[in-house]
Amino acid sequence: LNGYYLTGDGGASDYGVYVKDYNSPIIKNGFIYDFGRGIYLENANSSVIENNFFDTTGNITLYGIISNNSYISTIFNNTIFVNSTVNDNEVNGIGISILDGFGNNNITNNSIEAHADWWDISFATFDYSKGSAVWMKDTYDNYIYDNTYTVTAGSDSGYEKGESDGSRAIYFNTTGGKVSNNSIGGTFESTIGFMVDGVGDLEIKIYENSTFNTAGHGFDYGVILSAENVTLDLNGYYLEG
């Protein structure tokens, strides 16, 4: 992108960069603004997404980056800000989504911030993927570390603007697939550092000493394990509140 801007009109169904069924794309050094989906990868292996700035400040923002059924990708040194200001529980607000299948993706040295102004970011919701910095579904053998994750709710969510109640920095879930051997770490600015739930093979490893700066509004958690037979391997590292 050579330092230039790709700017959309804020449409929820719009894509900034769309890659399907082609391997080894490199997307770097640009600014991607106001698309419903900033970058979308599907069946696109060995991708590199590096040194980009995503700022989606329109009233409908779904995702910064989606990687669907793709593997051996590198997402490095990006700044991602997703902001949903619509009071609509169908609208997401997710920085990075890694969905379905063998992973071996590396997500490192990124700053990921998700903000939502609607109720579905709250802890009581059934769809925990919404309002997350990173959502990992049915994927395994990924490395997610040395990132900063910030998730906040807005005034329409039932909390004062800027609070982090009910927000999840990283959300892992499976509906019967495999979420295993994922290694994570970083600085977590959210009510819930990371959450694991679902049915299947669930295993998370801590990759580095990690800091959890929770909001202090009544229900703050470093980690929530909400499934049977989950393995959390701290691997000798610190979880620090």
Side-chain angles (χ1 to χ4, degrees):
L1 298 181
N2 200 26
Y4 289 104
Y5 289 75
L6 302 183
T7 303
D9 59 7
S13 61
D14 295 346
Y15 298 84
V17 178
Y18 182 95
V19 182
K20 182 178 180 181
D21 298 329
Y22 291 95
N23 296 327
S24 303
I26 299 174
I27 306 163
K28 65 179 183 178
N29 299 335
F31 298 83
I32 300 176
Y33 281 11
D34 288 338
F35 292 93
R37 298 162 178 83
I39 293 177
Y40 180 86
L41 307 174
E42 183 175 345
N43 298 320
N45 303 322
S46 302
S47 304
V48 176
I49 302 174
E50 181 178 4
N51 292 330
N52 298 292
F53 187 94
F54 300 77
D55 190 357
T56 45
T57 56
N59 61 0
I60 295 181
T61 296
L62 301 180
Y63 305 91
I65 299 170
I66 303 176
S67 177
N68 184 13
N69 199 29
S70 303
Y71 62 92
I72 319 181
S73 296
T74 298
I75 301 174
F76 174 75
N77 202 35
N78 298 281
T79 299
I80 301 170
F81 177 72
V82 291
N83 181 38
S84 174
T85 59
V86 174
N87 189 7
D88 181 348
N89 65 2
E90 296 301 318
V91 179
N92 293 291
I94 300 171
I96 298 174
S97 295
I98 306 294
L99 310 175
D100 300 329
F102 175 69
N104 203 17
N105 300 292
N106 285 276
I107 303 173
T108 60
N109 201 38
N110 300 284
S111 176
I112 309 160
E113 181 173 348
H115 174 84
D117 228 12
W118 35 274
W119 69 269
D120 204 7
I121 199 171
S122 72
F123 184 76
T125 180
F126 292 101
D127 190 345
Y128 290 109
S129 65
K130 297 179 179 181
S132 300
V134 178
W135 176 29
M136 310 289 291
K137 178 180 177 292
D138 291 329
T139 185
Y140 53 96
D141 290 345
N142 298 289
Y143 291 86
I144 313 157
Y145 64 94
D146 200 23
N147 301 293
T148 299
Y149 319 89
T150 304
V151 188
T152 57
S155 55
D156 290 337
S157 65
Y159 301 102
E160 294 182 7
K161 198 171 187 66
E163 291 185 359
S164 301
D165 289 288
S167 58
R168 300 146 304 278
I170 304 178
Y171 174 59
F172 297 91
N173 84 303
T174 176
T175 55
K178 186 176 182 180
V179 175
S180 66
N181 200 32
N182 290 291
S183 299
I184 70 171
T187 300
F188 299 81
E189 301 273 355
S190 56
T191 297
I192 303 167
F194 63 90
M195 180 174 180
V196 182
D197 88 320
V199 178
D201 186 356
L202 297 160
E203 179 188 12
I204 306 298
K205 295 180 180 179
I206 301 299
Y207 192 80
E208 61 185 346
N209 293 330
S210 298
T211 301
F212 298 82
N213 297 322
T214 52
H217 298 296
F219 49 92
D220 304 330
Y221 305 90
V223 180
I224 291 182
L225 305 179
S226 183
E228 300 284 348
N229 302 315
V230 179
T231 299
L232 173 63
D233 185 355
L234 299 183
N235 207 21
Y237 289 108
Y238 292 85
L239 302 185
E240 184 177 354

